[in-house]
C-alpha cells in the first residue's frame, strides 16, 4: 500500500514514466481530476483512493484483468478499515 500524489490531466497520459518523473507522483489517472478541482473551488478537502491495476502502458489491458481480482479486495479492505476508524472518531448522534 502506497500513499502519495496522483498525476492527472484532461487526457490519457501516453508516457506514464515521464509523468511520474516530472511530478513525483505514484501513479497517473485522469478520473479524479474534475472532482479534485470542484473540491478546490468549493474550499473542500479532497482525497482520491485508487486501486492500481496496471502500469498504463502497452500491457495495460492484460495487466488490468490479471490484477483486478487482487486489487479490488485490497481496496475494499482499506475502505472498510478507514470507515470503521472514522466512525469511532465521530460523536454519537442523538437521532440514531
Amino acid at each position: 500500500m502506497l500513499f502519495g500524489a496522483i498525476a492527472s490531466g484532461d487526457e490519457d497520459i501516453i508516457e506514464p514514466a515521464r509523468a511520474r518523473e516530472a511530478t513525483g507522483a505514484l501513479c497517473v489517472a485522469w478520473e479524479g481530476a474534475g472532482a479534485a478541482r470542484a473540491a478546490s473551488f468549493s474550499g473542500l478537502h479532497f482525497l482520491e483512493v485508487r486501486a492500481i491495476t496496471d502500469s498504463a502502458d502497452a500491457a495495460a489491458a492484460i495487466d488490468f484483468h490479471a490484477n483486478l481480482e487482487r486489487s479490488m479486495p485490497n481496496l475494499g479492505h482499506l475502505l472498510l478499515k478507514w470507515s470503521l476508524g472514522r466512525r469511532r472518531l465521530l460523536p454519537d448522534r442523538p437521532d440514531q
Side-chain angles (χ1 to χ4, degrees):
M1 190 175 311
L2 302 171
F3 295 88
I6 298 172
S8 188
D10 59 358
E11 59 187 53
D12 287 340
I13 297 173
I14 304 302
E15 297 180 49
R18 191 169 136 207
R20 285 189 290 269
E21 289 172 12
T23 63
L26 297 175
C27 66
V28 297
W30 58 265
E31 296 90 347
R37 189 171 183 182
S40 178
F41 287 152
S42 300
L44 300 172
H45 296 286
F46 177 79
L47 172 68
E48 182 175 355
V49 178
R50 298 194 67 83
I52 300 172
T53 57
D54 61 73
S55 298
D57 57 13
I62 295 168
D63 291 346
F64 171 80
H65 291 291
N67 294 320
L68 187 62
E69 288 185 32
R70 187 174 73 203
S71 61
M72 289 300 111
N74 288 339
L75 177 60
H77 181 74
L78 171 71
L79 292 174
L80 182 61
K81 286 186 77 165
W82 175 78
S83 65
L84 291 174
R86 265 186 71 77
R87 188 172 183 170
R88 287 187 205 108
L89 297 175
L90 297 175
D92 289 333
R93 291 178 40 188
D95 61 333
Q96 291 185 339

